[in-house]
Every structure is written in structure tokens, then in C-alpha cells.
């Protein structure tokens, strides 16, 4: 068995010690945070109870990392101090030299986060760090970086000197990673206004693959002011979206989240900033450090002040309950004043400790910061909101009876004699259409003589077309709409013909075999004739985007859908905007723009409550986008879809989504959790009557158990997969042979790993035979290589 440091401790033989290893393995599969920390703390208690001092020491070093990255740096200082003391007392027994030297860097940084810790203690640790690095023959590059960080925090005037030493020193194995080291340099250069230099340093980092827990979100966050001050607005928006998606799930990153609030205030995105304040306000009650608390309070106050200045000082922010304080809706002015005072008070404490005014100066600068740009759209469909009009119940724009409401308002016609009678009949027909009484509408229209009022022929044919569509007479309805558009064009041009053209295009776009060829010409003409900001233009963009999606042209569709969402939002018609966001997200997903797909789907979801089918589709888009982004949040989203499918009586769908969660988890090397999901999927497949799904899910569960170190259980589960082969239908022999060969191949791998080589060789041979029968050359060759390797191992 392997202990947390990777060393063989299998000789202990104590169940308590085995529990420690199991807990540490389980913790390793979780992201840093409360759940992971609890498991490591439990492992430490068990190691101490087992009186295994060495194992307890090693677990304690890992607990330091859990505290650091889980948002509890104060606790990390305590565990680090103890492990360092244990190492100094008996270096041969309590080793981990490299890890402790690495953790000293975080120790120095953490000391600056708490104003109650004397500055002398920070300098003493820096001196000790330098001594140890020199004694070990290491470069002082990492030491200079920490001295720079402390000087920058204190503001003693030496930061530039330490920066030069840091840049000049040789990197070695104790230097920060290739993402974090330049991130610190970027922050220094941005702070002193050398933005182009910062951009040059960042360029190679941003184009590389970074595996550090803090990257790439940290470097992207550091680049926000650099992008803004060098005119790279689009890159700034992209960096904000990408980095904040990671930061928002990590309490430890509250300070970085504050930087995103400052970015929102600097770019005219106060609404986005207010959303971020609302999401994380409760974190102030458990802030990872007073420094992070100070910066989040200051940046939040900046955003709230900007929102108030825009005329929304009557708004409130929901603050969650904490420590005996009830949840409450706090008025913006009250919260703004409270956060301003909170940030200022904390800055005073830091300055009193440091003997300078640096933190207070920076807080005051933040609170008074002015926008860098008037407005920076964070996505293609974002616009500065305009005052919303009174809500109108018109553009549930699938209702043909409401399409004419999108056209420009017209004054009533001045008519006399027979024309007046015609006008009455047209008004009567309009009322019947609006009340879904098409037969009555058609009866009224039969009494109209088109020659009576020729300038209203377009209106008459438009009403006839709507009525015919309502009766299901689509071809006749289309013909009537074409005549309406022609007549309206003749009397008033395309603007006059907008309503019948929009409805005609909508009907043509929804044909069973795909959009009619006339659809796009109609919509192109309609859009070109409409003013830039109008409901009709938004509706036309909606229809063209949806038609392009239906025609299998998502790359072309997203531009129209983005314009439509922006248009409806500007008009204050948020329901239409929310519904189209689902289509826009689907378009982004189909074109591989996964970040945009996830962002837009998340924007849409809160407004889709009660719209089950559309909400389900939105969740599905989000889940696949998260999966493609490598986000663990995809597991939660697919789990929600699985539960929804189960509630809807769709066990096949539930099993499919559970398999998706297993696929994601094993891709994240969380194989124990993946095995559980595949096992659950197998059970649901069985209830759904899908024997193929049962075989596949059990086989996948067995392999995940193998990768997680549960070899015996893996063998048992794989046998259950083999037993399930007997339930495969006999009328599909190729499928039965394929699944049997897959089980044989994976069972051979599993048994070989368990040392049962003769059985493994037999299963590998069976896999070769099965794949060969199906003429699957590639799989057959791979199975043959496995068989030959096993046979070679048997002869050693």
C-alpha cells in the first residue's frame, strides 16, 4: 500500500493505518475545499490514534496544502509550523525536505494576510527561508520573490529592487511554476503602469499548457488591467469570463474575485458586478483572511457605488444568514456604507502593523476608481440596458395573431361610406383572430371587397393568412401571406410589409424538410429595412437565427441569435431574451465555442423556471459545455439531468446521464467516484431493460475500480459484466460478439494486473478472436499485443 507521499508502507498491517491511506486516496479525488479538508483531518486523527508519528507527519504536510488551497491559511500556518519543527528535530525520520521548503513560500505569503501577526515574524521566516535555501544549494529566486511580495504589501520603497533581483536570479525546482512566477511579475508591472512589458511577459505563458492548481485563472486575472490599458478589450472580456468561472467556486480565491469586481466597475458592467457581489457576499463571514476580506469589501463598495450612481439606490442585495444574523435584503446605500467602513477599518489595522499608509492608500484608490472604458460587452449579446418599457404581452412571437403588433404603429385610416364598412369588417376579423376564432374571421373577410379600399389589401390578406394558418390550412395561408407582402410593399415598401413578411418567413422556416429557400431572402430584406433598435428587427434576427440553426448552420446562426437576445433585452422583453439564450447557447456548443455556451446557458437558466422542456434543453447544453471545458461542475449538471429523467419516468435517459458523470469523473482521475456512477448506471439500465447498457456500465465500473486500486472488487464486478452477456438479444449477433470481445479484453487487462496471467491470456485470445470475426483490425491488433505481452510475462 502507498502512503500519501508515494512511499511503500505496506508492512504496517494495521487496519487503522489502512484507513488513513483509504481516506487520503478518497481526499485526492476531491477538489480543494471543505469536503477534502475534512477527510484529511480525519486521516490525521487516525494516524495519530495509530501512534504512527511518521505517517501523521506526512498527512499533516498534506493538510497544510488542504488548508492553503481550501481557504484556511491561518490553520495552514499552524500545521506548517509543527511539521517544520518536527523535521528540524529529527530530519532523518521526518523527511519531506523539498515539500517543506516549498511550503515555506506560502508560509511567508500567509503571514502578510493577518494584521495581528507582527511584521518581525514575517521577516524572521524570510531570513530562515533564505538560510535553508542556501544550505540546500538552491537558488534564491523564490526567496527574492517573497521579499518582493512583502515589500509590495508594506510599501517600504524596496519592491522595485527586489523585483530586479527576482528577475535576474536563476530559476530552479523551488521556483514557482511557469505560470505563477510570471503572474507575480505581471502584477508588479501593472501596478507601476508598465502594461506593455507585462503583456510581453504574459504572452508565452498564455499560450502554454499550465497544470498548476492556481492556473491559468491567476494569470488571466492579473492580466485584466493590462488588457484594458493596452486597448485589448476583447481579450480582457475573455480573460474575465474564463478566470472568474474558476475563481467563483473557490473560497480561497476571494481576493481574486475582488479583482473581477474592480474589472466590472472599470468596464461599465455594474450589473455583472452586482451579480458577483450577491453571489459571494456571504463569503465575507468566512473570508480566508482579513486581507481578502478587505479587498472584497472595497471592490464590492466600488460596484455598489456605481450602481447607486446609475439611479438604482432603491435596490437591495440579499445577504445570507450567519452567526445568529438572520438573512435579509439590505438596501444598497446601507450595504455600501458598511462595506466601505469595513474595508477602511481593516486597512487601518494593516497600516498600523506595517508602519506605512500603503494599504489605506490602495483602498481609498479603489473606492474612488473611475471607469477605464465606458462599456465593454462581455459577450456578443451584451448591451448597455435601456430603461425597460411597460411589459407588453405581444411577442410570444410564435402566435401569428400578435406579429402585426411588432410593426410600426399606424394611425387609423380616414375612410367614409363603403370604406368605413370595410374598416369595421377588418377590425372584426382582427378581433376574431386574436380570440382564436379563425372561422369567424374568415367569414368576416368574405364580406370585404378588396377593390373597396385598395390601400388596405395588404391588411386584408394578412388577416386571411393568419386565419388560414390557425385552421391548419398552411399552403393557403402561405399564399395569402405572399399576397399580403406584395400588396403592402406596393403601397408602402418593405417597412409597411414587415408583419406579413415576418410571419411568412416563420412559417417557411418551420417546414418539415427544413427552411424553404425563400426564408432567408425574406428575412434579409426585412432586417435591412428596419431601424437599428426596434422590436421588429429583434424578431427578424430571432427568426433568421432559428432558421439557420434548423438548416444546420450554427456558425452563421449565432450572430443573429446574439443580436436578437441583445435586442429583446434592450426592449425589456426578458422572457423572449431568456428563451433565445437557450438557442444561442446551443449554437455556441455546436460550433465548439464551449465557454460562450456555458456562460449563455447559465444566464438563461434562472429565467426558465416552469418551462420544463426548455429548461431541460438548457441544462443539457450547459452539461456538455462544462464537460468540454473539463469542469467538474458537469458532474452536478448531468446528475440533475439524470434525476429529472428518472422523475419523468425515463430510466434510459437517467442511465445515460449517469454514465456521462462516470465518464467525466474518470477523465478527472476520480476513478473511485466514477466506479460508483457506472455501477448506478448499470442498475438503472437493468430497470430500463437495456442489456447492452448493463454490460457496458458494469465493464466500465470494473475498470475504474482497477484504476482506483480496488483490484479484488474489480474482478467481481467484471464477472458480473460477463454474466450479463447472457441477456443480450440473440437477433443481433455482431453486437453480441463486439460486447463479448470488449469484456474479454478488459477482463484480460484486469486479471493481468492482478497477477492471474493464465486466465488473462485466455481472455485476451478470446478478444482477438471476437474482434477478428467482425473484421475490426485495429482492436484485434491491440488485443493481440496484450495477449503476447501476457504470454511473455508468463515465461519470465
Amino acid at each position: 500500500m502507498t502512503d500519501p507521499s508515494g512511499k511503500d508502507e505496506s508492512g504496517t498491517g494495521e487496519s487503522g493505518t489502512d484507513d488513513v491511506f483509504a481516506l487520503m486516496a478518497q481526499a485526492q479525488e476531491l477538489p480543494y475545499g471543505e469536503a477534502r479538508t475534512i477527510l484529511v483531518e480525519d486521516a490525521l486523527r487516525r494516524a495519530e490514534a495509530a501512534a504512527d508519528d511518521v505517517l501523521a507527519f506526512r498527512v499533516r504536510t498534506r493538510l497544510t496544502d488542504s488548508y492553503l488551497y481550501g481557504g484556511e491559511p491561518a490553520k495552514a500556518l499552524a500545521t506548517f509550523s509543527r511539521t517544520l519543527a518536527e523535521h528540524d528535530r529529527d530530519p532523518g525520520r521526518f523527511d519531506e525536505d523539498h515539500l517543506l521548503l516549498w511550503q515555506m513560500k506560502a508560509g511567508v505569503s500567509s503571514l502578510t494576510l493577518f494584521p495581528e501577526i507582527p511584521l518581525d515574524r514575517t521577516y524572521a521566516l524570510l531570513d530562515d527561508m533564505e538560510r535553508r535555501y542556501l544550505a540546500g544549494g538552491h537558488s534564491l529566486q523564490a526567496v527574492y520573490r517573497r521579499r518582493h511580495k512583502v515589500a509590495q504589501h508594506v510599501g517600504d520603497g524596496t519592491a522595485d529592487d527586489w523585483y530586479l533581483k527576482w528577475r535576474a536570479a536563476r530559476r530552479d525546482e523551488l521556483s514557482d511554476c511557469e505560470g505563477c512566477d510570471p503572474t507575480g511579475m505581471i502584477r508588479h508591472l501593472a501596478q507601476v503602469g508598465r502594461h506593455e512589458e507585462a503583456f510581453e511577459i504574459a504572452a508565452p505563458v498564455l499560450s502554454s499548457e499550465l497544470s498548476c492548481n492556481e492556473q491559468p485563472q491567476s494569470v488571466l486575472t492579473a492580466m485584466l488591467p493590462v488588457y484594458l490599458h493596452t486597448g485589448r478589450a476583447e481579450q480582457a472580456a475573455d480573460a474575465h469570463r474564463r478566470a472568474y468561472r474558476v475563481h467563483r467556486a473557490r473560497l480561497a480565491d476571494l481576493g481574486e474575485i475582488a479583482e473581477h469586481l474592480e474589472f466590472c466597475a472599470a468596464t461599465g458592467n455594474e450589473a455583472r458586478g452586482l451579480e458577483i457581489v450577491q453571489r459571494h457576499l456571504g463569503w465575507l463571514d468566512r473570508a480566508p483572511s482579513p486581507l481578502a476580506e478587505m479587498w472584497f469589501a472595497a471592490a464590492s463598495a466600488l460596484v455598489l457605488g456605481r450602481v447607486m450612481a446609475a439611479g438604482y439606490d432603491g435596490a437591495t442585495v440579499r445577504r445570507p444568514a450567519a452567526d445568529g444574523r438572520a438573512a435579509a435584503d439590505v438596501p444598497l446605500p446601507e450595504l455600501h456604507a458598511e462595506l466601505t467602513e469595513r474595508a477602511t477599518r481593516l486597512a487601518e489595522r494593516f497600516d498600523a502593523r506595517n508602519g506605512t499608509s500603503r494599504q489605506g492608500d490602495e483602498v481609498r484608490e479603489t473606492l474612488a476608481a473611475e471607469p477605464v472604458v465606458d462599456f465593454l460587452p462581455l459577450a456578443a449579446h451584451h448591451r448597455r440596458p435601456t430603461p425597460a418599457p411597460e411589459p407588453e404581452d405581444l411577442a410570444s412571437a410564435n402566435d401569428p395573431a400578435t406579429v402585426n403588433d411588432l410593426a410600426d404603429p399606424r394611425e387609423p385610416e380616414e375612410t367614409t361610406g363603403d370604406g368605413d364598412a370595410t374598416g369595421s369588417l377588418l377590425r372584426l376579423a382582427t378581433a376574431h383572430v386574436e380570440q382564436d376564432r379563425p372561422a369567424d374571421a374568415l367569414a368576416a373577410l368574405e364580406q370585404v371587397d378588396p377593390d373597396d379600399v385598395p390601400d388596405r389589401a395588404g391588411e386584408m390578406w394578412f388577416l386571411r393568412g393568419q386565419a388560414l394558418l390557425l385552421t391548419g390550412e398552411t399552403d393557403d395561408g402561405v399564399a395569402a401571406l405572399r399576397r399580403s407582402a406584395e400588396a403592402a410593399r406596393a403601397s408602402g415598401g418593405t417597412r409597411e410589409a414587415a408583419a406579413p413578411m415576418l410571419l411568412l418567413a416563420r412559417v417557411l422556416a418551420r417546414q418539415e424538410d427544413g427552411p424553404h429557400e425563400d426564408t432567408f431572402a425574406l428575412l434579409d430584406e426585412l432586417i435591412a429595412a428596419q431601424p437599428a433598435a426596434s422590436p421588429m428587427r429583434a424578431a427578424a434576427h430571432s427568426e433568421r437565427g432559428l432558421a439557420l440553426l434548423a438548416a444546420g448552420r450554427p456558425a452563421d446562426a449565432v450572430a443573429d441569435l446574439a443580436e436578437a437576445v441583445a435586442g429583446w433585452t434592450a426592449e425589456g422583453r426578458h422572457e423572449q431574451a431568456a428563451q433565445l439564450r437557450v438557442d444561442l447557447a446551443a449554437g455556441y456548443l455546436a460550433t465548439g465555442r464551449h465557454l460562450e455556451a456555458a456562460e449563455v446557458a447559465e444566464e438563461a437558466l434562472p429565467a426558465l423556471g416552469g418551462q420544463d422542456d426548455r429548461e431541460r434543453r438548457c441544462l443539457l447544453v450547459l452539461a456538455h459545455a462544462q464537460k468540454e471545458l473539463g469542469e467538474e461542475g458537469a458532474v452536478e449538471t448531468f446528475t440533475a439531468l439524470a434525476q429529472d429523467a428518472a422523475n419523468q419516468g425515463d430510466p434510459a435517459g437517467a442511465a445515460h446521464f449517469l454514465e456521462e458523470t462516470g465518464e467525466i469523473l474518470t477523465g478527472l482521475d476520480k476513478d473511485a467516484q466514477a466506479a460508483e456512477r457506472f455501477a448506478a448506471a448499470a442498475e438503472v439500465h437493468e430497470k430500463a431493460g437495456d442489456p447492452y447498457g448493463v454490460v457496458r456500465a458494469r465493464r466500465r465500473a470494473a475498470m475504474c475500480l482497477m484504476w482506483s486500486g480496488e483490484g479484488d472488487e474489480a474482478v467481481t464486478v467484471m464477472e458480473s459484466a460477463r454474466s450479463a452477456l447472457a441477456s443480450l438479444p440473440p437477433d443481433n449477433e455482431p453486437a453480441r460478439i463486439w460486447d463479448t470481445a470488449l469484456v474479454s479484453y478488459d477482463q484480460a487487462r484486469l486479471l493481468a494486473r492482478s497477477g492471474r496471467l493464465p486466465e488473462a491470456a485466455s481472455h485476451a485470445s478470446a478478444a482477438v478472436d471476437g474482434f477478428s470475426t467482425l473484421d475490426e483490425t485495429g482492436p484485434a491488433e491491440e488485443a493481440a499485443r496484450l495477449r503476447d505481452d501476457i504470454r511473455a510475462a508468463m515465461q519470465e
Side-chain angles (χ1 to χ4, degrees):
M1 186 167 293
T2 303
D3 82 342
S5 67
K7 298 183 179 180
D8 188 359
E9 294 283 344
S10 58
T12 61
E14 299 180 12
S15 61
T17 303
D18 289 350
D19 289 345
V20 173
F21 299 144
L23 285 167
M24 293 301 293
Q26 189 177 351
Q28 190 70 26
E29 293 202 346
L30 296 176
Y32 284 109
E34 185 178 8
R36 178 168 178 155
T37 298
I38 288 172
L39 288 177
V40 182
E41 288 175 334
D42 190 12
L44 178 59
R45 284 191 292 270
R46 292 170 186 264
E48 291 174 336
D52 190 330
D53 293 343
V54 173
L55 182 57
F57 165 81
R58 291 175 180 158
V59 173
R60 195 173 289 111
T61 62
R62 272 61 186 179
L63 185 56
T64 296
D65 285 342
S66 293
Y67 285 144
L68 279 172
Y69 298 118
E72 299 181 277
K75 292 182 179 179
L77 286 172
T79 53
F80 170 70
S81 297
R82 177 165 176 179
T83 52
L84 186 63
E86 287 174 328
H87 169 76
D88 289 346
R89 187 171 65 250
D90 190 348
R93 187 163 181 244
F94 301 109
D95 47 13
E96 301 279 15
D97 302 59
H98 181 275
L99 179 59
L100 291 171
L101 290 176
W102 185 273
Q103 289 179 341
M104 286 193 86
K105 301 186 298 182
V108 170
S109 299
S110 295
L111 288 174
T112 64
L113 306 179
F114 301 90
E116 64 271 22
I117 298 178
L119 204 56
D120 288 347
R121 183 175 169 189
T122 302
Y123 289 132
L125 184 57
L126 273 168
D127 292 341
D128 187 34
M129 180 180 176
E130 183 166 335
R131 178 184 62 79
R132 292 173 188 267
Y133 275 48
L134 285 172
H138 303 292
S139 169
L140 294 182
Q141 196 254 13
V143 178
Y144 294 151
R145 168 152 169 42
R146 265 63 200 180
R147 290 196 182 277
H148 167 270
K149 189 177 184 68
V150 174
Q152 197 174 44
H153 169 77
V154 173
D156 62 5
T158 64
D160 286 342
D161 294 335
W162 288 118
Y163 174 77
L164 292 175
K165 290 183 177 181
W166 167 24
R167 286 296 307 271
R170 171 181 57 86
R171 282 181 55 83
D172 68 358
E173 68 278 3
L174 286 173
S175 295
D176 288 351
C177 79
E178 293 182 355
C180 290
D181 208 39
T183 296
M185 297 175 186
I186 291 165
R187 290 189 182 281
H188 170 85
L189 293 169
Q191 191 171 61
V192 298
R194 294 156 62 181
H195 297 107
E196 283 294 347
E197 289 181 61
F199 181 80
E200 292 172 6
I201 287 177
V205 179
L206 295 169
S207 62
S208 62
E209 292 290 332
L210 302 172
S211 58
C212 171
N213 179 65
E214 299 179 42
Q215 298 297 347
Q217 65 272 16
S218 289
V219 68
L220 289 171
T221 298
M223 287 297 293
L224 292 175
V226 176
Y227 285 138
L228 285 181
H229 287 281
T230 57
R232 296 174 170 93
E234 187 175 334
Q235 289 167 275
D238 181 67
H240 164 68
R241 293 198 309 267
R242 291 172 57 196
Y244 177 67
R245 286 190 68 79
V246 181
H247 287 314
R248 69 182 183 177
R250 301 183 177 192
L251 175 63
D253 293 357
L254 188 62
E256 284 82 1
I257 291 170
E259 296 181 65
H260 287 268
L261 286 172
E262 293 183 55
F263 170 80
C264 289
T267 57
N269 284 285
E270 292 85 4
R272 167 79 162 181
L274 185 60
E275 173 194 322
I276 294 173
V277 172
Q278 175 73 78
R279 179 179 292 135
H280 301 288
L281 185 60
W283 284 11
L284 272 179
D285 297 306
R286 51 194 182 102
S289 70
L291 190 69
E293 178 186 350
M294 180 185 78
W295 285 120
F296 184 81
S300 296
L302 170 65
V303 167
L304 296 181
R306 207 58 64 67
V307 173
M308 291 163 56
Y312 294 94
D313 50 339
T316 61
V317 174
R318 186 71 174 173
R319 178 161 57 187
D323 296 330
R325 183 194 68 218
D329 294 317
V330 186
L332 253 61
E334 178 183 330
L335 186 59
H336 173 263
E338 176 188 325
L339 294 176
T340 299
E341 193 276 334
R342 191 169 186 167
T344 303
R345 176 170 39 82
L346 284 167
E348 290 172 351
R349 292 178 60 198
F350 279 108
D351 286 345
R353 189 271 305 270
N354 297 339
T356 67
S357 65
R358 179 58 170 271
Q359 296 303 309
D361 292 342
E362 291 192 342
V363 165
R364 286 185 286 272
E365 183 180 332
T366 296
L367 292 171
E370 293 294 329
V372 178
V373 298
D374 180 56
F375 177 63
L376 171 60
L378 300 179
H381 60 285
H382 286 183
R383 303 287 189 279
R384 260 199 187 282
T386 56
E390 290 298 317
E392 301 174 50
D393 184 20
L394 53 89
S396 90
N398 285 325
D399 181 358
T402 63
V403 174
N404 52 343
D405 292 333
L406 295 173
D408 291 337
R410 298 174 54 191
E411 294 296 327
E413 297 286 343
E414 293 288 342
T415 57
T416 57
D418 291 339
D420 187 48
T422 299
S424 297
L425 288 169
L426 291 176
R427 287 193 293 274
L428 179 61
T430 299
H432 286 318
V433 167
E434 290 174 349
Q435 295 170 19
D436 198 16
R437 292 159 55 186
D440 292 336
L442 290 170
L445 292 170
E446 287 296 329
Q447 302 176 53
V448 175
D449 184 351
D451 297 329
D452 230 3
V453 189
D455 60 337
R456 300 187 71 175
E459 182 182 356
M460 184 204 71
W461 285 111
F462 182 41
L463 286 168
R464 182 177 293 279
Q466 292 179 80
L468 289 167
L469 291 176
L470 288 171
T471 64
E473 299 174 72
T474 303
D475 290 344
D476 290 341
V478 166
L481 290 175
R482 289 187 186 277
R483 293 193 65 173
S484 172
E486 290 168 5
R489 277 197 199 97
S491 63
T494 300
R495 292 279 293 278
E496 187 76 17
M501 288 176 66
L502 179 67
L503 182 54
L504 176 59
R506 178 178 300 135
V507 175
L508 293 176
R510 286 160 173 73
Q511 295 190 348
E512 288 186 9
D513 55 350
H516 187 278
E517 60 183 7
D518 291 346
T519 302
F520 299 110
L522 281 165
L523 291 169
D524 291 348
E525 179 186 353
L526 181 56
I527 290 170
Q530 298 304 310
S534 69
M536 180 59 74
R537 188 181 182 94
H541 276 300
S542 300
E543 292 303 327
R544 191 164 69 179
L546 293 172
L548 288 166
L549 273 184
R553 296 166 56 187
D556 297 322
V558 292
D560 274 301
L561 293 171
E563 284 296 326
V565 170
W568 290 129
T569 302
E571 290 291 325
R573 296 177 181 177
H574 301 293
E575 182 179 350
Q576 290 95 311
Q579 292 180 0
L580 276 176
R581 279 189 176 96
V582 181
D583 300 298
L584 177 58
Y588 281 138
L589 182 67
T591 53
R593 297 168 65 175
H594 304 122
L595 176 61
E596 289 99 325
E599 292 275 330
V600 174
E602 288 175 340
E603 287 179 4
L605 275 171
L608 296 176
Q611 303 178 38
D612 291 344
D613 290 342
R614 191 164 284 271
E615 185 175 11
R616 195 172 296 120
R617 181 181 175 220
C618 191
L619 278 172
L620 188 60
V621 170
L622 175 60
H624 282 289
Q626 291 173 319
K627 178 182 178 182
E628 294 298 329
L629 289 169
E631 295 181 353
E632 194 167 351
V635 174
E636 181 180 348
T637 311
F638 274 119
T639 300
L641 286 165
Q643 185 60 57
D644 179 70
N647 293 340
Q648 296 295 320
D650 178 17
H656 168 74
F657 293 132
L658 284 171
E659 282 198 77
E660 287 279 12
T661 66
E663 189 72 40
I664 295 163
L665 287 165
T666 192
L668 294 170
D669 292 329
K670 300 180 183 301
D671 294 302
Q673 295 178 60
E676 294 175 359
R677 297 305 181 103
F678 282 123
E683 291 181 9
V684 181
H685 276 308
E686 194 164 23
K687 292 177 183 176
D690 179 6
Y692 295 104
V694 173
V695 172
R696 180 180 61 252
R698 287 181 181 175
R699 176 174 59 81
R700 297 297 306 278
M703 295 306 293
C704 288
L705 286 167
M706 179 189 78
W707 291 320
S708 65
E710 300 295 333
D712 292 342
E713 187 178 355
V715 170
T716 301
V717 173
M718 188 64 80
E719 280 296 339
S720 73
R722 180 166 292 282
S723 298
L725 289 168
S727 299
L728 297 182
D731 58 349
N732 192 341
E733 187 66 5
R736 186 192 65 78
I737 294 173
W738 173 258
D739 277 350
T740 302
L742 285 174
V743 170
S744 296
Y745 177 75
D746 282 343
Q747 194 163 16
R749 296 165 65 195
L750 196 161
L751 291 170
R753 190 175 178 125
S754 301
R756 295 164 61 175
L757 297 180
E759 295 172 78
S762 175
H763 284 300
S765 296
V768 173
D769 293 341
F771 291 135
S772 298
T773 299
L774 298 174
D775 292 327
E776 294 287 349
T777 305
E781 291 175 349
E782 189 173 345
R785 284 192 293 272
L786 174 64
R787 178 199 60 198
D788 295 343
D789 289 344
I790 294 170
R791 287 175 177 174
M794 291 170 62
Q795 296 173 3
E796 291 179 357

